[in-house]
Amino acid sequence: MSRAEQLRKIRQEREGLIKELEAIYYKAFERLTELDLGEGSVARLTQLLLRSREAAITPLQEEIEAPLIISAPGQT
């Protein structure tokens, strides 16, 4: 498998994982609206979920958006 093919597959896997995580967090937020909790409790849980989501997804997105370095500077 070529390097380009490997990179493409890795990118697809990261993008798929992001979509799966987004679906999990969406469901978690939806469940929060169904709970019979006070506003303070819901707010704290929401904040925790948002922080968790950001910690889980941001590194994956940053890696996808990172420039591709194929060789070290000065090498051809």
Side-chain angles (χ1 to χ4, degrees):
M1 179 181 311
S2 72
R3 177 78 171 137
E5 181 68 16
Q6 289 175 349
L7 292 172
R8 187 186 65 74
K9 285 188 175 199
I10 290 170
R11 180 184 179 102
Q12 285 178 332
E13 189 61 31
R14 285 187 183 122
E15 290 171 345
L17 184 53
I18 288 170
K19 287 179 183 178
E20 289 177 34
L21 287 168
E22 290 283 4
I24 289 168
Y25 282 100
Y26 179 81
K27 289 176 187 176
F29 284 117
E30 286 295 311
R31 284 194 310 266
L32 281 181
T33 63
E34 298 168 1
L35 298 176
D36 188 24
L37 301 173
E39 287 182 29
S41 295
V42 171
R44 282 191 296 278
L45 281 170
T46 299
Q47 192 64 26
L48 285 171
L49 281 172
L50 287 171
R51 289 173 42 206
S52 172
R53 178 190 171 278
E54 182 177 338
I57 294 175
T58 299
L60 293 167
Q61 288 175 329
E62 288 173 349
E63 193 65 28
I64 289 170
E65 295 167 3
L68 177 62
I69 299 173
I70 297 177
S71 62
Q75 292 182 352
T76 44

